[in-house]
Amino acid sequence: YSLCEWGVNQPWTWAPEVGNLWRTTGDISDSFGSMLSNFQQNVDLYPYAHPGAWNDPDMLEIGNGGMTPTEQRTEFSLWAEMAAPLIAGTNIPNMTATTRSIYENRAVIAVDQDPLGKQGVPVVDGTNGIWVLTKPLANGDRAVVLFNSDNAPQAISTTASQAGFTAPPHGRQVYLLTDLWTGKRYETAGTIAATVPAHGVVMYRVHPTTQPNAAPLVVTSLSGAAGTWLQGGQPAGVRATVTNYGVAAAADVRTGWSQVPPGWQVTPAGSDPTATALPPGRSASYAWTVTPPTTSTSEPIATVQITLNTSWTAPAAGGDPAQWPVTVPFNAVYSPVQAPYQTYSSATDAPAHFGQLGQKFAIDAAGSDVWVGADHYGAIYQKGVVGATSTVQTEVISQQNVSGYAKAGIMVRNDVAGAGTSTEGVILYESPEDGIQLGWNDNGGTYIDNQTPGIGAIPDTTPVWLRLVRNGSTYTGYYSTDGTTWKEVGSETLSGQAATQDAALFLSSHATGDPGLVYYNGLSVTG
């Protein structure tokens, strides 16, 4: 019997007497930001979960298209670690092979349905985007999840002791780690670690043993420009440190880059990295210079993925050759915004980046919202170009779904660079969850505080053309899915709007500290 009052009245304190599971959160939506929020609300409720009584952070969004495969594996792992109900919230007959492989991972399902019935406990709780959860299992193993909610790969580690293991009274304990997503096995002297991709997890089943028969755990940590923003043509340094956490030596350790995009260069900083041997507990460092192309013919801003692969062998331990690829994102601004356009960001929770290539614009920015009490966005704008009778138009080419309530589109207000202080005006936007909407300020204040139509009345779609028409104090929004046929979104008459106003492309990711990337085609103002 499942109860749902969205966690409002702390059902975990009374629902076990009534039912078997209870919702602990509001409704989930198909985005990493929403999934992360529900996880954070549910993860500390572990004292209340036991066989027959479960915390429920809502259904799984795996397969619905709003998250990457990495993020979907993260959701499945976190829900399993929290002993949460695994309710598929997708069209099951139409599942892709990737979606099916996630839902049918028996090793992860076994963690969720372990008969001990314990919910995983956080031993690292999100500091710098790093989470570590440990869950005791009925046979004495532990399920350990290393979760990286940050936007760049991170080396995450814990110890067997922190994970809940007790050292044996005599001799040295060894731990066998089974990666539940790759099936690969490693041995370690006590450090449980991995290089975890952005928004990803590594999920181990940890088994104490005295006879390891797997390759030693070798982990690569990155520093320097990995995951940072680069300027086109400007080189930046990247360093990798490779550490052997096993009890056996790692032989023939090699590391190098592959899948380098055309125009990008990755060159050794010094001599070429050569194969080496790493005794237990030892590290080796390697350095490279990464240089993006000076210009691009297609994108003003781009995120590329380059793979750093580390491989090693351990014949003495009887293990097979091992390798660990790490997908490293690099972000580059190839072409900055040109006059007469200007840039502005009130989203101070993360750096904003802007690019322009002809009439193709890009904004990468965060921001909690553009709504009552929040005026946080990144914008590319023109000053004072909107008069009493003007039309502002753009095409939202694509929007990264960081959060279902992200907003991207057109903003018209007295002063775009006066967020939180100047009179708000009108926004016409596309949102993954809200769809296409017109928002406005209806009392001459500094925040958007009304919107039409109702949530979801016009579904989201990209690309989408947006047109905002001002006629005196009346503003009317239109949208088009082909750039030719236009439909009205809504119309509103406002007060407090200046005779001339700024016109902007704007973005608010609705995920504090987590930027999203949006591409636009054109910002035209006529009339």
Side-chain angles (χ1 to χ4, degrees):
Y1 183 56
S2 172
L3 292 83
C4 180
E5 47 83 78
W6 302 281
V8 174
N9 296 295
Q10 298 183 330
W12 46 89
T13 62
W14 52 265
E17 299 179 5
V18 182
N20 304 107
L21 58 148
W22 49 87
R23 283 280 300 282
T24 59
T25 69
D27 292 344
I28 198 169
S29 60
D30 184 21
S31 70
F32 178 78
S34 176
M35 184 276 292
L36 178 62
S37 175
N38 280 31
F39 161 72
Q40 290 172 321
Q41 294 173 67
N42 191 79
V43 68
D44 288 323
L45 300 178
Y46 58 87
Y48 302 96
H50 57 81
W54 313 107
N55 296 307
D56 178 12
D58 206 4
M59 70 180 71
L60 299 162
E61 291 287 353
I62 297 158
N64 293 334
M67 293 189 287
T68 66
T70 293
E71 293 167 343
Q72 292 177 44
R73 285 188 290 270
T74 294
E75 182 182 31
F76 203 68
S77 301
L78 295 176
W79 264 233
E81 187 77 358
M82 294 188 297
L86 300 180
I87 303 171
T90 192
N91 187 321
I92 293 175
N94 293 345
M95 285 193 297
T96 65
T98 298
T99 298
R100 185 176 295 277
S101 70
I102 296 173
Y103 278 118
E104 294 185 348
N105 186 319
R106 292 177 179 270
V108 177
I109 294 171
V111 170
D112 178 73
Q113 300 185 2
D114 184 79
L116 193 60
K118 296 285 189 179
Q119 178 171 326
V121 175
V123 294
V124 180
D125 60 357
T127 302
N128 297 322
I130 292 174
W131 295 83
V132 177
L133 285 76
T134 180
K135 176 179 179 176
L137 304 177
N139 72 338
D141 291 354
R142 290 255 172 180
V144 176
V145 171
L146 310 176
F147 170 36
N148 174 19
S149 64
D150 197 22
N151 297 315
Q154 295 200 74
I156 301 176
S157 67
T158 188
T159 65
S161 175
Q162 289 172 326
F165 289 103
T166 302
H170 303 290
R172 183 177 174 183
Q173 186 69 72
V174 182
Y175 299 88
L176 184 65
L177 311 181
T178 301
D179 187 321
L180 299 189
W181 286 105
T182 67
K184 295 179 180 178
R185 301 197 311 165
Y186 309 94
E187 56 88 353
T188 172
T191 297
I192 302 168
T195 302
V196 185
H199 294 185
V201 298
V202 170
M203 188 175 191
Y204 289 128
R205 189 172 185 126
V206 184
H207 175 70
T209 181
T210 57
Q211 297 180 338
N213 60 349
L217 178 67
V218 174
V219 174
T220 303
S221 60
L222 294 164
S223 59
T228 64
W229 281 87
L230 310 178
Q231 201 68 38
Q234 296 184 5
V238 176
R239 180 171 292 275
T241 300
V242 182
T243 304
N244 177 10
Y245 292 110
V247 297
D252 197 28
V253 180
R254 301 171 183 267
T255 187
W257 298 87
S258 63
Q259 299 178 332
V260 179
W264 284 71
Q265 296 180 0
V266 182
T267 56
S271 59
D272 286 328
T274 57
T276 189
L278 281 181
R282 298 291 296 274
S283 300
S285 292
Y286 308 92
W288 297 269
T289 298
V290 177
T291 308
T294 302
T295 60
S296 169
T297 59
S298 59
E299 304 292 351
I301 284 179
T303 297
V304 303
Q305 309 283 346
I306 308 179
T307 299
L308 177 63
N309 191 71
T310 300
S311 62
W312 66 98
T313 60
D320 295 328
Q323 62 176 353
W324 198 309
V326 178
T327 300
V328 184
F330 291 95
N331 308 299
V333 177
Y334 297 124
S335 178
V337 171
Q338 308 293 316
Y341 302 103
Q342 303 179 56
T343 63
Y344 170 75
S345 176
S346 59
T348 56
D349 49 314
H353 300 89
F354 308 93
Q356 177 189 354
L357 190 63
Q359 283 300 300
K360 189 171 187 179
F361 299 91
I363 300 176
D364 184 273
S368 60
D369 205 355
V370 179
W371 187 241
V372 176
D375 204 12
H376 304 144
Y377 55 86
I380 297 174
Y381 70 102
Q382 285 187 274
K383 188 72 180 171
V385 292
V386 177
T389 55
S390 296
T391 298
V392 184
Q393 184 170 313
T394 191
E395 175 192 1
V396 180
I397 301 172
S398 63
Q399 179 178 6
Q400 184 180 0
N401 185 8
V402 177
S403 165
Y405 297 103
K407 297 177 171 69
I410 295 169
M411 172 182 288
V412 170
R413 64 185 296 177
N414 296 353
D415 182 10
V416 165
T421 58
S422 75
T423 300
E424 254 292 11
V426 183
I427 55 175
L428 177 65
Y429 62 90
E430 195 277 339
S431 170
E433 188 77 14
D434 278 353
I436 301 165
Q437 296 211 49
L438 184 74
W440 66 92
N441 174 271
D442 62 4
N443 59 14
T446 57
Y447 298 111
I448 297 293
D449 57 10
N450 215 329
Q451 61 186 18
T452 186
I455 290 176
I458 302 175
D460 71 299
T461 181
T462 54
V464 61
W465 285 258
L466 300 176
R467 176 183 290 172
L468 182 61
V469 178
R470 178 183 183 183
N471 186 5
S473 57
T474 300
Y475 297 77
T476 306
Y478 302 88
Y479 79 100
S480 173
T481 57
D482 58 10
T484 302
T485 303
W486 294 88
K487 298 180 180 179
E488 183 175 322
V489 178
S491 186
E492 193 67 25
T493 299
L494 309 183
S495 62
Q497 306 304 305
T500 58
Q501 297 179 289
D502 300 348
L505 305 172
F506 85 99
L507 161 64
S508 180
S509 73
H510 199 271
T512 302
D514 200 359
L517 176 61
V518 177
Y519 291 105
Y520 311 80
N521 182 26
L523 175 58
S524 66
V525 183
T526 57

